Amino acid sequence: MTVAKVIEITASSPKSVEDAVRSGLKKVSETVKGIKGAWVNETKVVTNGSGEITEWRVNLRVTFLVE
């Protein structure tokens, strides 16, 4: 029998949404093994005073197998 667990994390990047997802998954993989996938639950941006995007933020739901 296989059991999976889902955790929620938040990651950010000044470059792009994709970079935020990649850096979040890389960081969580340091302590969580058996990651099978992730769902981008929410995307946010941080802006400066003139409306330019300074940071991309994503909430991820990460699925991994429980051993």
Side-chain angles (χ1 to χ4, degrees):
M1 178 173 87
T2 303
V3 176
K5 184 171 182 173
V6 178
I7 59 172
E8 191 166 339
I9 67 164
T10 301
S12 63
S13 168
K15 296 179 186 177
S16 67
V17 171
E18 184 178 349
D19 191 56
V21 171
R22 287 181 190 275
S23 64
L25 288 173
K26 184 175 181 179
K27 184 65 177 175
V28 80
S29 71
E30 293 174 6
T31 56
V32 174
K33 304 303 174 206
I35 295 173
K36 293 299 176 188
W39 175 45
V40 179
N41 186 31
E42 189 174 10
T43 306
K44 300 178 185 179
V45 295
V46 176
T47 61
N48 62 15
S50 62
E52 295 177 12
I53 296 172
T54 59
E55 185 177 55
W56 294 89
R57 294 183 182 170
V58 293
N59 285 347
L60 298 169
R61 290 186 179 169
V62 180
T63 304
F64 61 97
L65 298 179
V66 177
E67 297 180 7

